[in-house]
Amino acid sequence: MPPILNGKRVLLGVSGGIAAYKSVALASRLTQANAQVDVIMTASAMKFVAPVTFQAITQRPVVHDIFESWHDAGRLRIGHVALAQAADLFIVAPATAHTLARLALGMADDMLSITALSYKGPMLLAPAMETRMWQHPATQEHVARLRGWGVDFVGPAQGRLASGEYGEGRMAEPEEIFEVACKVLGRGGPLEGVRVVITAGGTREPIDPVRFVGNHSTGKMGVALARAARDLGAEVVLVHAPLAVHPPGGVERVSVQTAQEMFEAVMRLLPETDVLIGAAAVADYRPVSSETTKIKKMPGQQIIRLERTPDILAAVGEMRGPERRHPRLVVGFAAETDNWEQNALEKLERKNLDLIVLNDVTAPDSGFAVDTNRVTLFERSGNREDWPLMTKEEVAQAIMQRVVARLGRLDWKKR
Ligand code: C5P
């Protein structure tokens, strides 16, 4: 669970579009992440979904009437003022064309708009409407105006719309809204202004058009690191080979297949990289040549000749030189089956890393394709720490805390 939402107060404004039903899933996701969610519905939203649905999910009363009194910690308060003051984040999903217009014009004619006008914090809007309404200059002007005030948007996406037509205007999926909400909340965190490049997934080295040399990596660890860095305010680029898990939202993604492509992507990003984390399982060998047509079955053995791929971290390590100035921090992983400590320390040295995370991939609860990891951390200073069994999310958060400390941002205060 992302700790960024833990204990946060989120206002979820729901306006009247068919996508309102999807906001139930968003409310659920936010609540499960331990946020306290107060749902505010417009009159037309209540025609699509009954307030009791949100009430059951959030275990909080749903608000829709400006004149209804609001009880907060035993006190009777003016609803919209109390709600706006207490909130850490205001999401409106779906945000219809009409609601966008009302927000952009500062209108206060219902509970959603009056609370928005009383609110000062980060705001995230997920528009949903027919393509022509979205593209109308009125809507676009309202969006530009809201953006100018620092309001964030997620979507709309292309896809099937309520009318049955296909086009731009479909509300972003709840999971994506959730991820971007984490990013918005993390903004201004201790990694603000820090560009973190993370490699993830297992590269695929083609044998022929349908076959490849690959490995068991799912990308879970790299994806968890990307989320953890994002939630600390970093600008994250995830350079990933195919993933078996959903990629994170709110981060820039560069999709690659082979070790060579991953190498080139990392090299391109390097001048702008502050922290590089190599969590990908990069193939060490690739077929010397890949056939252009599918290799046919033949009797007897088939031999595939392999050659070495570029070692990304080692190449970066060489460019860094003995002073290791740029990138400011390079973190590697060592997935080992034997000689754990010796192998990890050798890689720390040879790849010129600041920190290496060792995991024993023979243990059933650690390494590939499981949700947990038992790791040991080795720092160049000679510091060694054995961490207990944790989820990959917890390991990622702990690694990112170490990054924060190493960048000297531990005493950083949220503005
Ligand atoms: O040498 P080994 O593959 O065990 O090293 C693991 C570390 O090096 C990981 O951080 C991995 O992402 C990185 N690596 C790399 N390029 C390679 C091989 C590994 O960046 N070709």
Side-chain angles (χ1 to χ4, degrees):
M1 282 297 158
I4 188 84
L5 274 157
N6 194 8
K8 293 285 186 340
R9 291 194 62 161
V10 178
L11 288 176
L12 175 57
V14 181
S15 56
I18 182 61
Y21 83 92
K22 288 199 208 169
S23 293
V24 176
L26 175 61
S28 166
R29 191 74 176 83
L30 293 163
T31 308
Q32 283 176 44
N34 249 344
Q36 181 176 305
V37 184
D38 284 307
V39 175
I40 308 176
M41 299 181 82
T42 64
S44 35
M46 290 190 292
K47 301 220 184 239
F48 288 98
V49 181
V52 69
T53 310
F54 283 107
Q55 214 157 294
I57 293 280
T58 61
Q59 299 180 340
R60 309 267 308 157
V62 167
V63 198
H64 52 85
D65 182 354
I66 302 183
F67 300 102
E68 206 174 297
S69 25
W70 179 255
H71 295 266
D72 193 32
R75 268 207 307 152
L76 201 62
R77 313 251 336 243
I78 299 173
H80 62 92
V81 177
L83 281 170
Q85 277 176 354
D88 298 294
L89 175 66
F90 199 147
I91 304 174
V92 182
T96 58
H98 186 228
T99 291
L100 286 179
R102 290 185 304 137
L103 296 178
L105 297 173
M107 291 174 76
D109 57 349
D110 72 353
M111 191 59 182
L112 196 162
S113 55
I114 196 170
T115 310
L117 204 57
S118 317
Y119 172 77
K120 262 177 63 182
M123 184 173 240
L124 175 63
L125 307 182
M129 65 201 74
E130 288 298 310
T131 308
R132 277 180 286 274
M133 292 170 82
W134 171 249
Q135 289 173 347
H136 194 285
T139 307
Q140 288 304 309
E141 262 183 40
H142 294 145
V143 170
R145 190 157 199 209
L146 289 159
R147 278 194 207 280
W149 295 339
V151 172
D152 282 281
F153 283 80
V154 51
Q158 298 266 354
R160 190 172 185 280
L161 305 171
S163 59
E165 285 183 29
Y166 281 80
E168 196 181 12
R170 199 178 147 89
M171 188 173 88
E173 291 306 314
E175 192 57 32
E176 196 191 346
I177 302 174
F178 175 83
E179 296 252 355
V180 176
C182 293
K183 180 194 168 106
V184 169
L185 269 177
R187 196 173 286 150
L191 293 181
E192 165 106 327
V194 177
R195 196 161 156 93
V196 180
V197 174
I198 298 167
T199 68
T203 65
R204 293 180 174 183
E205 311 300 327
I207 298 170
D208 69 16
V210 296
R211 305 182 180 96
F212 57 84
V213 176
N215 58 65
H216 289 300
S217 170
T218 56
K220 271 187 190 153
M221 195 62 233
V223 165
L225 282 161
R227 289 201 171 102
R230 174 200 68 195
D231 294 353
L232 290 166
E235 205 184 301
V236 181
V237 187
L238 183 70
V239 179
H240 67 91
L243 302 171
V245 291
H246 283 295
V251 312
E252 193 183 324
R253 288 167 47 195
V254 179
S255 165
V256 299
Q257 292 283 326
T258 64
Q260 182 64 32
E261 286 171 14
M262 188 172 270
F263 176 85
E264 284 165 17
V266 169
M267 289 302 153
R268 222 175 22 249
L269 293 164
L270 202 61
E272 309 288 316
T273 303
D274 297 303
V275 178
L276 173 64
I277 306 181
V282 188
D284 292 324
Y285 292 93
R286 65 183 166 213
V288 170
S289 63
S290 142
E291 300 299 326
T292 51
T293 53
K294 189 178 167 191
I295 299 170
K296 302 290 176 297
K297 270 195 282 295
M298 277 185 293
Q301 293 182 338
Q302 170 73 265
I303 292 170
I304 300 171
R305 290 182 63 79
L306 301 173
E307 64 182 7
R308 286 294 305 270
T309 55
D311 188 316
I312 305 165
L313 289 190
V316 172
E318 208 174 310
M319 290 163 78
R320 293 177 89 198
E323 291 181 341
R324 293 194 302 282
R325 277 219 188 97
H326 182 86
R328 283 156 71 191
L329 216 55
V330 180
V331 180
F333 277 76
E336 303 294 340
T337 56
D338 57 337
N339 279 335
W340 299 274
E341 183 166 344
Q342 193 186 328
N343 284 335
L345 287 172
E346 182 273 325
K347 276 170 202 170
L348 181 74
E349 193 60 42
R350 179 166 51 82
K351 302 193 187 205
N352 204 7
L353 308 172
D354 300 285
L355 206 152
I356 193 155
V357 184
L358 163 71
N359 59 337
D360 170 6
V361 288
T362 59
D365 53 7
S366 187
F368 291 130
V370 291
D371 291 328
T372 48
N373 244 2
R374 190 188 302 276
V375 305
T376 305
L377 203 77
F378 296 94
E379 292 185 271
R380 190 156 272 270
S381 57
N383 183 35
R384 173 203 161 125
E385 283 174 33
D386 293 296
W387 288 356
L389 185 71
M390 293 193 266
T391 64
K392 286 187 176 170
E393 280 71 29
E394 288 165 340
V395 173
Q397 283 147 19
I399 292 171
M400 291 319 300
Q401 282 304 335
R402 189 54 57 101
V403 168
V404 169
R406 291 290 300 258
L407 293 178
R409 293 192 172 209
L410 259 192
D411 55 354
W412 173 94
K413 296 268 179 299
K414 193 160 177 127
R415 272 174 279 158

